Amino acid sequence: MFKNISLFVSLILLAPFSLMASVHDSLIDDLKVLSSEHMQGRKMHTLGAKRAAQYIALRYEEIGLASFNQAYIHHFTDSLAWTDIEGENVIAWVEGKSHPDQYIVVTAHYDHLGHKHGKLFYGADDNASGVAAMLRLAAHLNQNTPNYSYIFVATDGEETQLWGAKAFLRANLIPKAQIRLNINLDMIGQNKTRSELYLHGLKRSKPSHRVIRKKLATAMNTAPARIVFSEARPRKDKRNIDWLKASDHYAFYQQGIPYLYLGVATHAYYHTVQDTWQNMDLTFYSQVSDSVLQLVEQIDQLTKIELNALN
């Protein structure tokens, strides 16, 4: 395993980045690396996906995150009909200072579509954007000890049937009863429809959720990128998307674990070969990452009673 991540990046891309020159540089560099041609579209159980998992593990190591069972990469198997499913989640964590036995799980899937009909699907917004922002959040929380413990899970197999999120919950690395919240980052970098980030998981009709909405409103109203409470989102096309079931947070919801799902609206580049970092507004994406940090800092200030009220 490479110990020097700048060397690793140089070797895989033949175009070295100065990865840790600044916080935002590392965010954009992670985005570029994960959506590069070398990652081959990161389809589950391919060489590209394995390269992406190794890169994320190296980033965890560089940040200084703790691991479970002395490993960042966790293999899992599942089955679909007569087919065996194999994948790799990449998992790390930071211990909290006030409630170390209470966990907030941050998820971002790293898998994408790979090659189709001779074309490469890079998956920059979907979901290199979420993974890179999660890495930045992990680095921030590792340097600024949070109240709660945070687990960072780069999931595999989201594009098929949320395999990685289900495998994480099945593995019981920690008791599920100690998971207070899932924060899921999926497609947070594209503003071709609207320059907004949507927060799903807090219902206006639920009294306990209204309290949390008020608590988070301050962070949302001052965030560099506009964050909107929304159970629906603007659509670029006629697809009728069930946002509850749209990504890894649904696996947590099925286990009775509350979630907050952050993502942009659908856009014309979704699941096309045009989903590249060159087609993203990197200023907007950097602002979104800042906003995610600001929102999580506010969430971390919630009391245990308030977090429990999310159920």
Side-chain angles (χ1 to χ4, degrees), residues 10 25 59 93 101 141 176 212-213 225 248-249 280 298:
S10 302
D25 284 349
R59 289 290 283 120
W93 70 293
D101 61 343
L141 293 177
K176 283 195 281 286
I212 305 301
R213 287 168 71 107
D248 286 326
H249 56 277
M280 287 173 57
Q298 189 68 45

Side-chain angles (χ1 to χ4, degrees), residues 174-242:
I174 58 166
K176 283 195 281 286
Q178 292 174 228
I179 300 177
R180 301 267 62 86
L181 178 68
N182 167 230
I183 300 173
N184 186 34
L185 308 176
D186 191 356
M187 295 177 58
I188 63 171
Q190 187 57 262
N191 64 339
K192 291 300 181 184
T193 304
R194 291 187 186 177
S195 294
E196 295 177 336
L197 189 65
Y198 298 93
L199 179 62
H200 188 279
L202 290 172
K203 296 181 178 179
R204 188 180 288 110
S205 60
K206 198 168 182 179
S208 60
H209 284 200
R210 287 201 295 269
V211 173
I212 305 301
R213 287 168 71 107
K214 289 181 180 178
K215 290 269 187 176
L216 300 184
T218 301
M220 293 172 65
N221 291 337
T222 60
R226 176 174 160 82
I227 304 177
V228 180
F229 290 117
S230 182
E231 297 304 302
R233 304 182 196 181
R235 294 204 305 260
K236 186 69 177 176
D237 50 37
K238 295 182 179 180
R239 284 172 293 184
N240 187 20
I241 298 175
D242 183 346

